[in-house]
Amino acid sequence: MTATPRLPVTLSVNGETRTLTLDPRVTLLDALREHLLLTGTKKGCDQGQCGACTVLVNGRRINSCLSLAVMHEGDEISTIEGLGTPEALHPMQAAFIEHDGFQCGYCTPGQILSSLSVIEEIRAGVPSHVTGDLEAPIPLSDAEIRERMSGNLCRCAAYPNIMAAIRDYLGEGA
Amino acid sequence: MIGQGISRTDGPIKVTGRAAYSAERQDAGPTLHGYILGAGIGRGRVARIDIAAAEAAPGVRLVWTHENAPEQGPAEGIEGDMMDRTRPELASDRINYYGMPIAFVVAESFEEARAAAGLIAVEYELEPGAFTLSGFGPDLNWRRPSQAGDIDQAMREGPVTLEETYSTPYHFSQPMELHACIADWRDGHLHLYLTAQMVNQLTTGLGKTLRLDPGAISIDSAYVGGGFGSKIVLHCEAVLASLATMALGQPVKLMLTRRQIFTLVGHRPASISRVRLAATPDGRLTALGHDALIQVRTDDAWDEGVSSVGKALYASPNRLTRQAHQALDVQPGEPVRGPGELPGLMVLESAMDELAEKLGMDPIELRLRNDTQIDPDKRLPLSGRRLADCLREGAEQFGWRDRPTRPASRRDGRWLVGYGVASSMRGHYQTSAEVLVRIEPDGFVIVRSDMTDIGTGTYTIVAQVVAEALGVPMSQIKVELAHTKHPKGNGAGGSWGAANTTVAADRAAAELRARIAVVAGTGYNDIFAEVRRHFPDGIEEIGKTLDNKDDPNYRTHAQYTYGASFAEVGVDIDTGEVRLRRMLGVFAAGRILNAKTARSQLIGGMIWGVSAALQEAGVLDPRHGHWVNGDFAEYLIPTHADIPAIDAIMLEDFDDKANHLGVKGIGELGAGGTGGSVANAVYNATGVRVRDFPITLAKLLPGLP
């Protein structure tokens, strides 16, 4: 039996440098969950269809299940563990609790990371399927937010409450 | 404290990713990883299977097939409790359904196990299978009949009659957390970190399968990422991970893939319904008939009670509800949220809407005219029967008076607009449950129960009830759930968990108060000071509930929860695309324990109803018996973009026949008839009645005005 070949990779995870030696088939998702024990990033489908594994790579959200860890040499990875703590919640996390934007909580880290990214994407003028005027500033409308959040499935169907949380967060002057 | 919309106590650890779900538990330390190879045919046998290459692959620790898997308790018949049956895996060369496990690999890493599974060479002996629910045949063996009067004669006499056939598809629970287990065999004891809705209920069947004393099995499901019925019965991940850790002496982790959850976990069976209604011209039902044909397996007859909703929803002197089975070669059916009533109400409430139109009546008026305070089936008074209140309150709040009275009569730009209404009803069940409440002298109250919190808010509502009962702040209450070592309840399922658990906890707290009062009187200010003085080691009591069959109130009253849902949809005049525009549900479900979490759960259930009406359908390949759309890209569940603002109103309610807290359940009720309200709104918008759910564009397009 030959041993599985492994490759070194260095990531910056939530601002901390982490060096791993990995089977090149390990996804970024499994590198976080199984090798760094950062299990806040969830495995919901492992095939890019549910958004539970959403993380930020160099500031942009991706499905970490669709990306191999060794492709991310030197990348800055942000996960839910880097956002807030139970004692010092990020305002979006607090809004999710206040508006009951989750039930089982499994899709929640992905929903929270996506919701923050969605706001930045709209403000940066990145168009979506529902954007009408590509020349004008994009409104932070419910339709724009819902469209951009639709890659994050929630089987408990907390969608109306997630929208209420995002609206509340925006009202707080994010 | 009870009833207040307090935020979930497990919120802070869930929104920060600190709550560890089954496969994320670190209790057992580093694990080996399992991977299942499923059958590539729908029926037949494994003629030859070659595992040599897999066994030689890097990191592989074991490869099992039916030829070398450990001996297990043999499969049992369909008699007896579904929860207690054995579930042997890799037990023979037979293949009963597509995806059934035919090999299991354990390796040092997930990647190695998955790759090795791909090296297994299989030759099949294919047998023809039955994969299509064909319709009512001539020789039907009717089950679960509930009958009154003579429905055939009533249908002949009419004068206004409706007889239509409806079909509902396969549904899957598909909670977001993958079915998963970490099994750790240590010092003769099997520790499972399993995603499960019930824990103590699983040890009997698992023990028999593994040939292990149930007392040697612990199951811990502290955080569960949704269930909706799919995490009730024992599945292969628990069995195979357990066998492997017992063979290897190291912890083993097994997560099913999302696609495997479409084959290795049960579905809601497909059904075909024949509904017969007759009424007088002023809208009094004279006949109510619902025959349902349900898909089953011959060796595992999960009997989805599609026809049962017609037993007690409306009064009719002539009534017949019954169902028959057709066995197909798919995996066993299982509970999926709203078992029986989600498809059954979608069908029956569509038929009621059709009847209202034939009568030229407001659909709400038709329902009110056939309301009843006596259960037509059990012939007992209905406790808390407030269907009429739900319909009237909802009509007012939703603005029902503004509905388009003629179908296809309202346009808003390119959208045809319609309103729909439907009733909801769900049995209230109680099972025997025990909960321990302990007051520690150090100033904390500990509550212990094997009940799970699958997103249902159990951690929060139990703390609220005990806080109120003992007069202690919630911050001083620690709720410990979902472990086999805790007192046994009946877990999360059937909408009974909240009432069972809180009633038992409240009774334990009342016992504690009584014991403290004996020595301290009732005028004390600080319960912990009295406990320190009189019970220096702490004080604890176990509170109990009775099973339905032992509770006198269940012999004198029929107990249900009620609701009404109102939908406004838009249908694109050119494409037939259906968009939900707004929705309201009004519910009478006993006393509400937490206004915030209850509303969320009801809204979530309503969205399941929307989804059943418009999107969800498991498509079974009629040639090969595999699920054509078995993943989240193809099995459509609602996304953010599908769902507008939805509201749920809970009527002030208290059912003193249910229990002393007046509490019933809400987990299934929201789904209830909601699908029917959407279907009726689509008809109202377009004049097209689709009786084959879900209502997709292709079915609407040919009839659009």
Side-chain angles (χ1 to χ4, degrees), chain B residues 374-396:
Chain B
I374 302 293
D375 184 325
D377 176 54
K378 297 178 184 155
R379 301 186 184 283
L380 292 172
L382 288 157
S383 72
R385 169 87 181 191
R386 297 186 64 195
L387 177 60
D389 292 343
C390 294
L391 286 163
R392 290 197 181 100
E393 178 71 17
E396 183 64 31

Side-chain angles (χ1 to χ4, degrees), chain B residues 442 444-448 474-480:
Chain B
D442 67 357
F444 279 96
V445 176
I446 296 172
V447 187
R448 294 193 177 113
M474 273 180 71
S475 58
Q476 283 167 272
I477 296 175
K478 297 176 183 170
V479 180
E480 300 175 2

Side-chain angles (χ1 to χ4, degrees), chain A residues 1-6 23-27 30-31 33-35 37-47 49-52 68 80-90 92-94 96-109 111-112 130 142-143 145-163 166, chain B residues 7-8 10-21 23-24 26 31 33 55-60 109-112 114-115 172-178 224-226 228 253 255 257-259 336-337 453-457 596-605 607-608 611 616 630-646:
Chain A
M1 185 172 81
T2 52
T4 297
R6 292 176 201 280
D23 183 330
R25 297 168 296 188
V26 172
T27 61
D30 280 331
R33 285 170 64 83
E34 300 291 338
H35 297 268
L37 307 185
L38 292 170
T39 56
T41 308
K42 303 302 183 189
K43 184 182 278 193
C45 70
D46 217 13
Q47 54 187 152
Q49 297 172 347
C50 79
L68 297 171
I80 192 72
E81 286 90 350
L83 194 62
T85 65
E87 297 72 33
L89 296 167
H90 183 279
M92 185 67 89
Q93 292 170 319
F96 266 65
I97 294 174
E98 174 60 27
H99 293 277
D100 215 26
F102 59 96
Q103 291 173 47
C104 80
Y106 198 77
C107 73
T108 312
Q111 300 278 359
I112 289 171
V130 300
D142 287 355
I145 295 171
R146 285 195 180 110
E147 171 64 24
R148 293 159 193 267
M149 288 297 292
S150 288
N152 290 84
L153 300 181
C154 172
R155 189 57 161 156
C156 300
Y159 299 126
N161 290 357
I162 293 170
M163 280 300 296
I166 296 172
Chain B
S7 294
R8 288 169 203 270
D10 52 351
I13 61 167
K14 283 187 172 174
V15 299
T16 55
R18 266 69 168 180
Y21 299 75
E24 301 164 356
Q26 305 300 327
T31 68
H33 297 261
E55 285 185 313
V60 170
S109 76
F110 169 66
E111 294 77 19
E112 289 166 331
R114 182 181 55 189
F172 291 90
S173 292
Q174 298 298 332
M176 293 307 299
E177 184 200 8
L178 298 167
V224 179
F228 317 110
K253 178 186 295 191
M255 291 182 92
T257 68
R258 182 55 65 184
R259 280 187 157 269
V336 175
R337 193 178 202 175
D453 187 331
I454 63 172
T456 40
K596 183 183 290 191
T597 59
R599 178 176 175 275
S600 301
Q601 204 177 352
L602 287 165
I603 289 173
I607 293 171
W608 275 58
S611 183
E616 276 186 57
D631 63 35
F632 274 150
E634 304 287 337
Y635 181 81
L636 301 181
I637 65 171
T639 69
H640 280 275
D642 297 316
I643 301 301
I646 288 179

Side-chain angles (χ1 to χ4, degrees), chain B residues 409-423:
Chain B
S409 63
R410 185 171 297 174
R411 280 284 289 270
D412 174 10
R414 59 187 296 111
W415 299 97
L416 292 159
V417 177
Y419 286 22
V421 65
S423 305

